């Protein structure tokens, strides 16, 4: 019994050390010079000047979800990111249960045109509460129309932020010639048909200025 308790204690110490390192980890800046965060209302109030001082070069904030919901903190984040001197971009969370054109119009209404802004991003993942699974070609056409509308508004090609399981099912990277924002904690992702332009390297990072875990990203060098 004593031996079992000793082993358990050692494993607990090792686990605590590993977790402490995990939440502080970021890719080496020598290899990835441009790094930053993406946030939404779930991150609460952000101290953007502190985040900028902690090594973030850019920031993305969620603007809209589907065709009907706006992120409660987008306008606050949008203004304060610029005030902190961060390059800023906006994210739309795609819904498989709402028309693409309506989603694009919602995004364009929410996000002001800013020629200095980073390209807008459209996020694709399977969300709770929506069980619709359209045929691949139907979805591709919907995304094309929505992307065209957003690009006409922003003046830049959109980024496609696609989760691994969504990309496996729909192969958007192969069908749509847009930059890819891929995801993979601690390990560089290779699941898209084309090389990624942006990598979400961690969704558990802790940094000053943001309560709780935050998504940490790097741009391809």
């Amino acid at each position: 019994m004593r031996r079992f308790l000793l082993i358990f204690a050692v494993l607990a110490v090792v686990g605590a050390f590993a977790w402490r390192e995990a939440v502080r980890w970021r890719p080496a800046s020598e290899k990835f010079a441009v790094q930053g965060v993406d946030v939404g209302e779930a991150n609460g109030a952000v101290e953007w000047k502190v985040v900028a001082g902690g090594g973030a070069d850019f920031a993305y904030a969620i603007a809209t979800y589907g065709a009907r919901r706006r992120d409660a903190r987008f306008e606050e984040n949008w203004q304060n990111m610029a005030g902190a001197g961060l390059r800023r971009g906006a994210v739309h969370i795609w819904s498989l249960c709402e028309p693409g054109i309506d989603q694009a119009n919602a995004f364009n209404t929410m996000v002001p045109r800013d020629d200095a802004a980073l390209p807008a991003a459209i996020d694709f993942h399977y969300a709770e509460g929506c069980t619709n699974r359209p045929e691949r070609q139907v979805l591709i056409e919907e995304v094309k129309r929505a992307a065209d509308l957003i690009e006409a508004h922003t003046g830049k090609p959109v980024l496609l932020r696609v989760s691994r399981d969504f990309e496996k099912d729909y192969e958007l990277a192969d069908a749509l010639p847009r930059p890819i924002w891929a995801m993979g904690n601690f390990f560089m992702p290779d699941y898209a048909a084309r090389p990624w332009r942006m990598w979400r390297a961690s969704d558990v990072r802790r940094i000053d200025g943001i309560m709780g875990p935050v998504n940490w990203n790097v741009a391809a060098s």
Side-chain angles (χ1 to χ4, degrees), residues 7 17 103 111 121 123 129 132 158 162 167 203 213:
I7 293 173
F17 175 79
Q103 296 186 56
V111 181
D123 177 286
N132 189 33
V158 299
V162 191
E167 177 63 13
D203 61 13

Side-chain angles (χ1 to χ4, degrees), residues 24-81:
R24 296 165 54 187
W25 178 85
R26 57 181 280 182
S29 57
E30 293 80 11
K31 187 171 183 179
F32 299 103
V34 180
Q35 308 196 16
V37 299
D38 71 272
V39 303
E41 61 191 18
N43 295 103
V46 177
E47 298 179 72
W48 284 109
K49 290 185 179 180
V50 176
V51 173
D57 303 299
F58 66 87
Y60 272 84
I62 296 173
T64 45
Y65 305 80
R68 298 180 180 85
R69 191 161 87 80
R70 299 178 173 187
D71 188 276
R73 291 197 177 271
F74 174 73
E75 291 173 317
E76 171 188 334
N77 284 329
W78 190 251
Q79 295 301 322
N80 292 340
M81 288 188 295

Side-chain angles (χ1 to χ4, degrees), residues 2-22:
R2 184 177 299 175
R3 183 179 181 184
F4 172 79
L5 291 176
L6 179 61
I7 293 173
F8 181 82
V10 170
L11 291 176
V13 170
V14 171
F17 175 79
W19 179 249
R20 187 182 69 176
E21 293 302 305

